[in-house]
Amino acid sequence: MLCSRGTDDKSELGVLRNKISPDDVISGVHGSADHDQVERDMDFFFPAERTVAAIKPNIVEKSGEIKEEIKKLGITILSEKKVALSGEQAAKFYEDQKERDFFGDLCRYMSSGETTFLVLSSDNVVEKWRRAMGPADPTEGKELAPHSLRAKLGEDILKNGLHGSSNVEHALKSIDLIFGGCFEGTPPEDNPSSTVITVVEISDETD
């Protein structure tokens, strides 16, 4: 990475810069200035896997509690967006489920109130988040993974409280759909990883 340098820099990195490019004002060596810069540089040069999490209408009031649990897993929350989905938007978000018998009920449920969408980032985050959620059916989860979030917070297989992308490809598609301009309230272009909380009230004309 190219960066400007000062000739009076006496640090080890400065000495190395002077040896590599003693006559240039642009250096061929870069070093992160602090720990926060290290994290930003790592995310820029070696981006971690990302996924979308959705906190559904029946437990959206527990968003703060759930975000704390996410952070305990070592997962970074890159962006946040609160949306009142229309039936049409819910159908678009779950279009891979459109052949399932419960599709209509799912869309009505997801358009019944606000949903908090999160972009999560860490190594193997798709699998990590799905494991934290537990089985889709909270009743099954109470037996197989009693400490999972759906087992503790979900009501039934429809109102299980949480969504997570099934794979990396699906995650990227969902990030583009929710945060890429298809819905209102996208993060600022000059800082796409900043936290944005936007409540969008949209009338549902499809029901």
Side-chain angles (χ1 to χ4, degrees):
M1 180 177 183
L2 297 179
C3 66
S4 61
R5 65 182 178 88
T7 56
D8 59 345
D9 187 351
K10 303 303 182 183
S11 67
E12 291 184 10
L13 180 58
V15 172
L16 180 60
R17 285 172 175 163
N18 290 333
K19 286 182 178 179
I20 293 176
S21 49
D23 299 322
D24 298 330
V25 294
I26 299 297
S27 170
V29 180
H30 168 75
S32 304
D34 53 37
H35 181 74
D36 290 339
Q37 185 65 51
V38 169
E39 292 187 348
R40 290 192 294 271
D41 288 348
M42 288 295 292
D43 190 55
F44 180 83
F45 290 109
F46 308 101
E49 187 174 285
R50 298 182 180 186
T51 193
V52 165
I55 305 173
K56 299 179 181 179
N58 62 308
I59 63 167
V60 72
E61 75 279 359
K62 297 184 182 295
S63 293
E65 173 186 336
I66 293 166
K67 286 188 288 183
E68 287 303 313
E69 291 297 321
I70 289 172
K71 292 174 184 177
K72 289 178 183 178
L73 296 170
I75 296 174
T76 300
I77 300 174
L78 294 180
S79 295
E80 175 179 351
K81 184 175 180 183
K82 189 176 289 185
V83 182
L85 294 174
S86 68
E88 183 179 359
Q89 288 174 324
K92 188 171 183 63
F93 185 71
Y94 282 106
E95 64 180 351
D96 59 328
Q97 304 282 346
K98 63 184 178 182
E99 302 301 327
R100 307 294 289 271
D101 292 340
F102 58 77
F103 182 68
D105 289 336
L106 176 62
C107 292
R108 281 187 287 273
Y109 159 54
M110 289 300 294
S111 59
S112 67
E114 294 176 354
T115 297
T116 298
F117 291 97
L118 307 170
V119 177
L120 309 182
S121 175
S122 81
D123 294 335
N124 198 30
V125 73
V126 172
E127 177 60 27
K128 190 181 292 186
W129 173 237
R130 291 183 68 81
R131 192 165 56 245
M133 288 191 300
D137 186 345
T139 302
E140 180 183 348
K142 286 178 171 62
E143 296 181 6
L144 300 179
H147 298 295
S148 64
L149 292 170
R150 282 171 171 163
K152 293 189 290 185
L153 302 173
E155 298 178 26
D156 53 42
I157 194 168
L158 178 65
K159 299 180 180 181
N160 59 18
L162 297 165
H163 165 85
S165 304
S166 57
N167 53 55
V168 174
E169 181 181 2
H170 182 248
L172 295 176
K173 181 179 179 181
S174 297
I175 290 171
D176 184 59
L177 177 66
I178 302 297
F179 293 87
C182 294
F183 296 172
E184 295 180 21
T186 53
E189 291 183 2
D190 60 343
N191 189 7
S193 64
S194 64
T195 298
V196 173
I197 304 176
T198 305
V199 179
V200 184
E201 298 291 348
I202 306 171
S203 60
D204 188 348
E205 300 178 355
T206 61
D207 288 348

